[in-house]
Amino acid sequence: MAKILLAEDDHSMREYLARALERVGYEVDSVGCGTEALPLLEKQRYDLLLTDIVMPEMDGIELAQKASTIDASIRVMFITGFAAVALQGGKAAPEAKLLSKPFHLKDLVAEVDRIFQTEDQHGRL
């Protein structure tokens, strides 16, 4: 099954999302900020970076850019309650899905499943 790196600064939300994704069969490593994610990205391969946009130390857009530099094949999905504000800053985000908070867990799982189903159809996994 696909391996996901989850970067979310809200501890409760991070645990909630990780458990939901693990329950449906994904392998999930989770961290509280982008600077914690980078060493993991350098050591192992992930199929998806699931990251909040607004985080301390390094925002999710910067993390996604660095992740894409480390592994050009990584898929990115942003989760945020501040999408409009965060994306207005003029930063270029890599091609990514965006899921705005609040969302239902079934919507998150469906979007993640959709990412991997699309890849399967194109032979990327």
Side-chain angles (χ1 to χ4, degrees), residues 14-68:
R14 184 171 63 246
E15 285 188 354
Y16 185 63
L17 297 177
R19 274 196 314 266
L21 291 165
E22 288 168 346
R23 258 188 252 128
V24 296
Y26 292 107
E27 185 178 339
V28 181
D29 289 336
S30 60
V31 295
C33 64
T35 54
E36 292 176 13
L38 285 178
L40 294 176
L41 288 163
E42 291 169 350
K43 281 190 234 175
Q44 53 194 307
R45 185 181 180 287
Y46 290 93
D47 301 296
L48 175 66
L49 170 63
L50 180 59
T51 181
D52 193 0
I53 291 178
V54 180
M55 294 186 294
E57 298 178 34
M58 177 188 303
D59 68 37
I61 295 172
E62 184 180 355
L63 172 60
Q65 290 168 333
K66 290 183 181 207
S68 293

Side-chain angles (χ1 to χ4, degrees), residues 93-119:
E95 185 179 325
K97 288 270 192 187
L98 177 68
L99 191 59
S100 295
K101 295 177 188 173
F103 54 81
H104 193 280
L105 280 180
K106 69 178 181 175
D107 296 329
L108 171 70
V109 170
E111 285 300 321
V112 170
D113 286 345
R114 197 169 295 125
I115 286 170
F116 293 121
Q117 287 170 359
T118 301
E119 287 183 2

